[in-house]
Amino acid sequence: MTAEMNRPLSGTDLREEIDRLRKERNAVILAHYYQRPELQDLADFVGDSLELSRKAAETDADVIAFCGVKFMADTAKILSPQKIVVLPDMDAGCSLEDSCPPEKFKAFREAHPDHIALTYINCSTEVKALSDVIVTSSSAETILQQIPESQPIIFGPDRHLGGYLNRKFNRDMLLWPGVCIVHEAFSERELLKLTAQHPSAPVAAHPECPPHIIDHADYVGSTSGILNYAKTMPGDTLIVATEPHIIHQMEKALPNKSFIGAPGADGNCNCNICPYMALNTMEKLYACLRDLEPRIEIEEGLRLRAKASLDRMLEMASGTIGQGDLGRV
């Protein structure tokens, strides 16, 4: 590698080099709503994880650079096996994925042979391959309502999303005990202090939040759903109970409204920044486009088994993906 290639880049130079490589590699850059604002601003598409993978699959790009976490990049590869998929930092994982090791999930399924597995997309490719139907926070309600109440269901890995669905639809799904560390960090005490300061401001919460946060929400939905709610909500101030980087998109779309991140136990939202999402940087995006590494690789048999559970979701609820249809409480 030449000294020129090793030269540190920053600011405008870094952005220009990313744009050059995007064209040279025929790459599409995806950024999840939880990414840093500078990554969101240069992405070709910003959105929820499955929504992004589907959009990338529809392009003629040769390379997908996914600024998100590994299970999202894996999903992009499942849907676009012919494309090169790179992730700026392969250590960008997910606490929900980590909570559900494939071998333990397999044993859990074998212990409950009469249950089908309805599995949240925040899981590994191996767990997707062991599942019957994948759901997103946008599609979960639509899919659950198509499954007879007499059919026993395992829901994993997010017990809070599963619990929310159980309560709303009076179901009794068997819940895997995983949680998202970001949404688990919100404080009910601090949220109540904040709502007292802003009594007319509604609260929008992601269904990965625990019940003591959901109970105070005026709206519950996916990141896309929360963004859509912000556009139609009454008033001009919204309290947002999800990873705070989504507020960047809200402020861009709605500059005349105010958005306040729901607080953690220390009274601010800094503890609710996803540490995995934060691993991706402009410098790492540049390097992965330059080197086409780190690259996502999935064995074809495993990919096809995982794709089958995604395909079932799309058959059952394709119109809801990215629409945030969980709706009001």
Side-chain angles (χ1 to χ4, degrees):
M1 188 174 292
T2 66
E4 179 66 19
M5 291 181 69
N6 277 321
R7 177 175 60 86
L9 295 169
S10 62
T12 304
D13 287 344
L14 186 58
R15 174 62 187 261
E16 288 177 351
E17 281 299 294
I18 290 171
D19 284 336
R20 179 184 68 80
L21 288 167
R22 179 185 349 221
K23 294 174 185 174
E24 184 179 298
R25 301 296 196 190
N26 188 27
V28 60
I29 299 175
L30 311 177
H32 191 270
Y33 287 127
Y34 296 166
Q35 288 292 283
R36 305 163 187 263
E38 60 266 29
L39 290 172
Q40 294 187 41
D41 288 345
L42 63 76
D44 295 290
F45 299 107
V46 180
D48 280 331
S49 60
L50 181 60
E51 174 191 10
L52 289 172
S53 292
R54 294 181 78 198
K55 286 180 176 177
E58 293 168 358
T59 71
D60 62 359
D62 297 313
V63 175
I64 299 171
F66 208 129
C67 298
V69 296
K70 187 175 181 298
F71 83 79
M72 298 178 184
D74 286 349
T75 301
K77 186 66 175 178
I78 291 168
L79 297 184
S80 298
Q82 77 284 7
K83 300 183 190 293
I84 294 170
V85 180
V86 291
L87 183 67
D89 192 319
M90 199 63 83
D91 288 331
C94 171
S95 59
L96 283 168
E97 178 179 350
D98 292 344
S99 78
C100 192
E103 65 279 4
K104 291 187 178 180
F105 188 73
K106 182 175 185 291
F108 191 68
R109 288 221 61 184
E110 290 171 350
H112 301 90
D114 57 333
H115 287 59
I116 63 169
L118 202 63
T119 309
Y120 191 29
I121 196 168
N122 295 38
C123 64
S124 67
T125 301
E126 290 80 5
V127 167
K128 288 179 176 68
L130 291 166
S131 301
D132 295 293
V133 188
I134 297 299
V135 302
T136 65
S137 49
S138 297
S139 65
E141 288 194 7
T142 299
I143 289 171
L144 181 59
Q145 291 179 88
Q146 295 176 55
I147 300 173
E149 292 187 16
S150 59
Q151 172 61 59
I153 299 171
I154 290 169
F155 188 93
D158 191 326
R159 66 182 172 90
H160 291 321
L161 174 56
Y164 171 78
L165 294 168
N166 272 345
R167 294 190 301 276
K168 186 165 185 177
F169 292 98
N170 194 30
R171 301 296 284 250
D172 188 28
M173 294 187 293
L174 185 60
L175 306 181
W176 185 269
V179 297
C180 167
I181 57 172
V182 170
H183 294 92
E184 185 85 346
F186 292 117
S187 165
E188 181 182 27
R189 181 190 66 233
E190 296 298 328
L191 177 60
L192 289 173
K193 288 182 185 177
L194 187 60
T195 55
Q197 294 169 19
H198 303 274
S200 63
V203 175
H206 196 284
E208 291 178 24
C209 291
H212 59 263
I213 300 298
I214 295 289
D215 287 347
H216 300 291
D218 300 278
Y219 175 87
V220 179
S222 68
T223 45
S224 292
I226 291 172
L227 182 57
N228 291 334
Y229 176 72
K231 297 174 181 177
T232 59
M233 70 177 188
D236 58 5
T237 302
L238 178 66
I239 296 170
V240 182
T242 191
E243 213 276 358
H245 281 119
I246 192 178
I247 291 175
H248 178 61
Q249 290 298 317
M250 294 176 173
E251 291 174 342
K252 287 176 67 175
L254 304 158
N256 296 323
K257 294 187 178 184
S258 298
F259 304 98
I260 306 169
D266 61 355
N268 65 60
C269 65
N270 291 338
C271 64
N272 302 321
I273 291 175
C274 177
Y276 300 106
M277 291 281 189
L279 291 174
N280 295 314
T281 65
M282 293 276 284
E283 292 79 7
K284 291 175 183 177
L285 174 60
Y286 162 72
C288 81
L289 285 171
R290 181 193 66 199
D291 303 334
L292 295 182
E293 296 287 348
R295 192 178 300 197
I296 301 295
E297 302 286 0
I298 302 174
E299 188 272 325
E300 182 64 4
L302 173 62
R303 185 191 73 82
L304 291 172
R305 293 194 300 276
K307 186 175 182 294
S309 61
L310 284 165
D311 286 343
R312 290 190 194 101
M313 173 184 62
L314 296 174
E315 290 166 7
M316 297 174 77
S318 61
T320 68
I321 306 304
Q323 301 305 307
D325 69 331
L326 289 187
R328 294 177 182 273
V329 176

